Amino acid sequence: MGGAGRCSWEGMRGGEALSAAFPSSPAAGQRGCAGAGGMWAAAPLLLPLLLLLLLPLARLCRRGEARLEPAGRAVLITGCDSGFGHLLALRLHRLGFTVFAGCLCPGGDGARRLQREAGGAGRLRVLRLDVTRARDVRAAKELVLSHLPERGFWGLVNNAGISTFGETGWLPMETYEKFADVNLLGSIRTTLAFLPLLRKYKGRIVFMSSIIAYFTLGNGIYSMTKAAIEKFCDALRLEMKKFGVQVCIIQPGNYARSTKIQPLLSAEEIWSELSEEEKAVYNKEYVQERANFFNSILSEGSTNGNEVVDAMVDALTSPAPKARYMVAKLKEKALVLVCALFPTAVMDSVLSYALSKVKLA
């Protein structure tokens, strides 16, 4: 790009010099045209660079605008029994939103605690919402429609999710189907149901993803569903722009200690659930080492779930929300950068080094 710009500039200077010395010289005109042509040829290369510079400035200008007024606006959140969903429901309620908190177990400890912490105010409603059940989603929509505040339906937060650990052959097909139904199809199911309302009120859709969408460390089944939901969001975000609906993705790093999504592992339980075919390939020492490795990662997780909630709130209230919010430690962001910039072979080498060194039987 620099070379093209330099050639064009030098071509223009050469053309001007010839024109001054020989006003009627054909060569002068030809060289001048060639120089101008060189500049136009470089334009397609300069345009993306110009956009990269202007877009952050435009976002900064828009962020200077007044933030959203929450009063009279409704938000539905899935997965509010615990973790980020629970924290977000309370935060949005305090801000003044009308909150519909979807819980898998509306009579469970998490749902009761949520109602208690909200002070029994009418602006927070706990409802049963299993995202794998179409009738639960329909019932949730009917409840929202019958209790819409004056400014309508503003946001859908697809937060519900499950996680587990295991190498590919360790998990039965039923587990893959369950994970796809909750983490991927569950979010799609609720999104399709509420799209008409979101288009009508030009609202926001927030999806819970993870940095694990970029790489995997023993939980490929979870990584698979998060990578898939990211692609769904990329398509949806572009399609919804014409309706004024904003679509945002939240990408937390390791917040295992802030949520109950992934309990500590027991090597004995993993071994007992392996098929005979898998037991013939792996040994107990290998399973124990992998469990210890994964448990050490879980124990390093952040306990400050409000950092993720801050990003979710910004996605719902900012006049210029980001398409992606990566909330992670510096080393986690660096790992994502390696995934994005380096060949797959480099990333495979990094992850292989981090994973098990124990030899199979």
Side-chain angles (χ1 to χ4, degrees):
M1 184 166 64
R6 197 158 50 246
C7 290
S8 301
W9 179 245
E10 289 170 1
M12 287 183 70
R13 290 179 61 191
E16 289 167 359
L18 280 172
S19 296
F22 305 99
S24 59
S25 168
Q30 289 171 1
R31 292 192 184 185
C33 289
M39 283 194 69
W40 285 114
L45 298 174
L46 293 171
L47 186 59
L49 182 60
L50 186 62
L51 287 173
L52 284 173
L53 294 172
L54 291 178
L55 283 174
L57 292 175
R59 183 177 284 119
L60 283 173
C61 291
R62 286 205 63 196
R63 281 182 171 268
E65 299 174 13
R67 295 183 77 83
L68 179 83
E69 174 53 52
R73 288 186 166 91
V75 177
L76 172 69
I77 312 165
T78 68
C80 293
D81 300 80
S82 61
F84 301 136
H86 189 102
L87 293 173
L88 179 65
L90 291 173
R91 178 84 70 87
L92 294 183
H93 176 258
R94 285 197 295 268
L95 289 173
F97 283 98
T98 296
V99 179
F100 294 90
C103 293
L104 184 62
C105 302
D109 292 341
R112 288 201 300 268
R113 189 172 71 254
L114 185 60
Q115 290 174 313
R116 188 168 59 250
E117 290 169 336
R123 282 187 297 100
L124 189 146
R125 293 177 178 271
V126 171
L127 62 146
R128 173 180 172 79
L129 183 49
D130 179 346
V131 297
T132 68
R133 295 158 61 103
R135 66 181 182 184
D136 276 17
V137 175
R138 285 195 299 269
K141 185 177 180 180
E142 290 170 6
L143 180 68
V144 169
L145 284 170
S146 62
H147 294 87
L148 267 185
E150 58 272 21
R151 290 181 175 171
F153 188 70
W154 176 251
L156 170 65
V157 181
N158 287 302
N159 169 74
I162 54 177
S163 179
T164 192
F165 165 85
E167 295 198 0
T168 303
W170 295 4
L171 306 171
M173 189 62 203
E174 293 77 15
T175 302
Y176 282 95
E177 291 171 347
K178 180 181 179 180
F179 268 71
D181 205 11
V182 176
N183 293 359
L184 175 60
L185 299 180
S187 292
I188 296 173
R189 194 173 284 116
T190 53
T191 299
L192 293 179
F194 285 91
L195 267 186
L197 279 174
L198 291 160
R199 285 195 295 254
K200 178 179 179 180
Y201 293 103
K202 302 184 187 302
R204 306 277 172 91
I205 316 175
V206 180
F207 290 84
M208 181 59 68
S209 180
S210 170
I211 63 168
I212 292 297
Y214 296 97
F215 58 88
T216 179
L217 282 170
N219 54 349
I221 189 170
Y222 182 70
S223 178
M224 170 193 76
T225 59
K226 292 306 179 182
I229 204 66
E230 293 246 351
K231 293 301 114 183
F232 175 76
C233 292
D234 285 343
L236 184 66
R237 185 178 61 253
L238 293 174
E239 294 165 2
M240 289 297 106
K241 279 183 179 295
K242 56 183 172 285
F243 300 108
V245 177
Q246 304 266 19
V247 178
C248 305
I249 302 171
I250 311 297
Q251 300 172 316
N254 184 1
Y255 283 84
R257 294 168 66 198
S258 303
T259 71
K260 294 180 179 179
I261 193 170
Q262 177 63 68
L264 293 174
L265 303 172
S266 163
E268 285 298 325
E269 288 182 13
I270 296 171
W271 181 259
S272 66
E273 292 174 3
L274 292 183
S275 66
E276 292 305 316
E277 291 87 348
E278 295 301 306
K279 287 180 178 178
V281 175
Y282 296 92
N283 57 51
K284 284 188 176 181
E285 183 186 5
Y286 180 88
V287 173
Q288 182 67 64
E289 195 276 340
R290 292 302 304 275
N292 292 344
F293 171 78
F294 200 69
N295 284 338
S296 69
I297 293 177
L298 295 177
S299 66
E300 293 173 0
S302 172
T303 58
N304 188 6
N306 281 306
E307 293 173 344
V308 178
V309 173
D310 289 344
M312 299 166 85
V313 171
D314 191 79
L316 288 165
T317 62
S318 170
K322 300 176 184 177
R324 282 176 167 81
Y325 292 80
M326 187 175 292
V327 190
K329 298 174 184 175
L330 184 59
K331 65 178 182 180
E332 293 170 332
K333 291 181 178 180
L335 199 55
V336 171
L337 191 65
V338 171
C339 286
L341 298 181
F342 288 83
T344 302
V346 174
M347 193 62 194
D348 286 353
S349 297
V350 173
L351 296 178
S352 295
Y353 179 79
L355 292 172
S356 178
K357 310 288 191 305
V358 177
K359 293 183 180 180
L360 300 177

